[in-house]
């Protein structure tokens, strides 16, 4: 079982290094996309075979289409790396494994041919709201003054964009674990359908639905398992999940999920120490 992790990172150099170290295995490689806004000199990342820095680097805005561009570019980097991986796992620099690498690989071997992503189907309130994200114009990737006023003017004057009726929109979570065949399909779809992909430019939160919808509308739909294998706590009802701390230690130890999201060592380093010494310890 050969596994590639794509790590999207934009901050917290020490935590990123800790994450990379926790993923080390002879049949595992980490591909890191470091946000173009970051100073790479501040990141003391290991120079070894188990790590590759992704280029080009994108200036990613939260919710912007730049996030989708960074993800697809990262998948392309893995595909062009000269190695074939059974699975590609997308995580952020603030995720952390909850079980040993060996357990994750064993799970994927047992479930070979399946791909894992979490989503809601049409009719769900989340999908209904998400349609507004892609039918209206959003200038999230721009920084100029007055961009929100311009958004309102354009969305008043220009008709809403429409997605073809034969393309079903699903989504909810950005993070996924896909096999090699699915990764090839995603990149090929983006390459061969540029006019369709342009419909998602100037949208908001397309990273939570576009790649998922591309796979759902393909011949690969039957391979999808509606589970992203992540422990994420949305109990605070905010746009971002709750930061996990030692208060979550028991739940993280008992869960069947393989990764937790999200952690912040500046808020609670003890939980990361706990995971290293307890959850990730191979017995």
């Amino acid at each position: 079982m050969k596994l590639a992790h794509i790590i999207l990172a934009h901050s917290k150099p020490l935590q990123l290094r800790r994450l990379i170290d926790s993923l080390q295995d002879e049949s595992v490689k980490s591909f890191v996309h470091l946000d173009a806004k970051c100073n790479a000199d501040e990141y003391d990342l290991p120079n070894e075979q188990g790590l590759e820095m992704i280029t080009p680097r994108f200036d990613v805005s939260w919710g912007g289409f730049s996030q989708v561009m960074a993800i697809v570019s990262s998948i392309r980097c893995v595909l062009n790396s000269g190695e074939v991986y059974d699975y590609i796992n997308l995580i952020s620099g603030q995720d952390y494994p909850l079980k040993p690498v060996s357990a994750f690989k064993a799970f994927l071997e047992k479930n070979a041919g399946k791909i894992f992503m979490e989503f809601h189907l049409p009719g769900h309130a989340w999908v209904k709201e998400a349609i507004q994200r892609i039918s209206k114009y959003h200038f999230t990737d721009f920084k100029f003054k007055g961009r929100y006023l311009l958004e309102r003017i354009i969305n008043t004057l220009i008709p809403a964009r429409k997605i073809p009726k034969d393309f079903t929109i699903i989504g909810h979570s950005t993070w996924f674990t896909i096999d090699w065949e699915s990764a090839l399909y995603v990149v090929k779809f983006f390459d061969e359908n540029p006019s369709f992909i342009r419909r998602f430019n100037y949208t908001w939160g397309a990273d939570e639905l576009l790649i998922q919808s591309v796979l759902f509308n393909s011949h690969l739909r039957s391979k999808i398992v509606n589970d992203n294998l992540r422990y994420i706590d949305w109990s605070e009802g905010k746009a971002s999940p709750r930061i996990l701390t030692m208060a979550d230690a028991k739940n993280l130890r008992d869960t069947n999920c393989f990764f937790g999201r999200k952690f912040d060592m500046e808020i609670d380093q003890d939980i990361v120490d706990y995971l290293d010494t307890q959850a990730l310890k191979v017995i």
Side-chain angles (χ1 to χ4, degrees):
M1 169 62 64
K2 297 190 66 173
L3 173 64
H5 295 289
I6 294 174
I7 306 173
L8 303 183
H10 68 276
S11 63
K12 306 185 185 304
L14 294 178
Q15 187 167 327
L16 175 59
R17 174 61 187 266
R18 188 101 173 244
L19 170 61
I20 293 170
D21 289 344
S22 74
L23 300 173
Q24 292 301 307
D25 182 87
E26 61 181 10
S27 60
V28 175
K29 188 169 184 177
S30 295
F31 294 78
V32 177
H33 177 273
L34 190 60
D35 194 299
K37 293 186 290 293
C38 298
N39 181 357
D41 293 337
E42 296 178 358
Y43 289 75
D44 180 25
L45 300 180
N47 183 15
E48 54 191 31
Q49 289 186 335
L51 176 68
E52 182 171 332
M53 302 303 294
I54 292 171
T55 56
R57 294 166 56 193
F58 289 85
D59 183 344
V60 177
S61 298
W62 181 68
F65 193 72
S66 52
Q67 181 90 336
V68 175
M69 294 171 62
I71 293 171
V72 175
S73 177
S74 298
I75 295 174
R76 190 188 305 276
C77 182
V78 176
L79 295 177
N80 293 337
S81 67
E83 296 287 342
V84 175
Y85 293 91
D86 297 290
Y87 275 92
I88 298 174
N89 184 50
L90 178 69
I91 57 178
S92 85
Q94 285 190 257
D95 294 0
Y96 212 76
L98 305 180
K99 300 184 186 303
V101 174
S102 58
F104 188 43
K105 290 197 303 179
F107 172 84
L108 294 177
E109 287 178 347
K110 183 179 179 180
N111 292 277
K114 298 177 182 178
I115 56 181
F116 299 89
M117 53 182 59
E118 186 265 336
F119 59 89
H120 296 307
L121 293 170
H124 191 280
W126 188 94
V127 176
K128 292 179 179 178
E129 184 276 330
I131 297 300
Q132 301 297 314
R133 301 181 182 184
I134 56 181
S135 63
K136 295 183 177 181
Y137 291 84
H138 301 265
F139 297 148
T140 309
D141 285 316
F142 297 96
K143 309 300 180 188
F144 61 86
K145 186 176 181 179
R147 67 183 184 276
Y148 297 122
L149 174 60
L150 183 59
E151 278 183 10
R152 290 195 294 272
I153 294 173
I154 287 179
N155 286 316
T156 300
L157 298 177
I158 298 179
R161 288 178 292 194
K162 295 182 179 180
I163 302 300
K165 292 183 179 180
D166 61 351
F167 189 84
T168 302
I169 296 294
I170 66 162
H172 188 233
S173 175
T174 300
W175 317 102
F176 52 70
T177 305
I178 61 177
D179 66 357
W180 190 256
E181 180 186 19
S182 302
L184 287 169
Y185 182 84
V186 167
V187 170
K188 183 179 180 181
F189 185 93
F190 272 70
D191 289 344
E192 295 183 350
N193 299 275
S195 61
F196 179 83
I197 297 301
R198 280 196 295 271
R199 296 170 184 257
F200 294 84
N201 284 338
Y202 314 117
T203 58
W204 192 92
D207 58 290
E208 296 180 338
L209 55 86
L210 181 51
I211 294 174
Q212 298 83 339
S213 296
V214 165
L215 289 172
F216 188 81
N217 286 273
S218 76
H219 65 286
L220 301 170
R221 178 189 296 193
S222 62
K223 299 175 62 169
I224 301 175
V225 177
N226 192 355
D227 183 353
N228 64 4
L229 311 178
R230 273 74 171 164
Y231 182 98
I232 307 176
D233 186 341
W234 292 102
S235 62
E236 293 181 337
K238 298 179 180 179
S240 296
R242 188 175 68 80
I243 298 296
L244 301 171
T245 67
M246 279 301 294
D248 303 288
K250 183 179 185 303
N251 289 338
L252 296 177
R253 184 190 66 219
D254 295 343
T255 183
N256 290 325
C257 299
F258 289 91
F259 291 86
R261 169 164 181 80
K262 58 187 184 175
F263 298 90
D264 189 334
M265 286 172 49
E266 296 175 9
I267 294 175
D268 190 337
Q269 180 174 323
D270 290 344
I271 186 61
V272 177
D273 294 339
Y274 170 84
L275 292 174
D276 278 345
T277 59
Q278 300 295 322
L280 302 185
K281 185 178 181 181
V282 179
I283 301 176

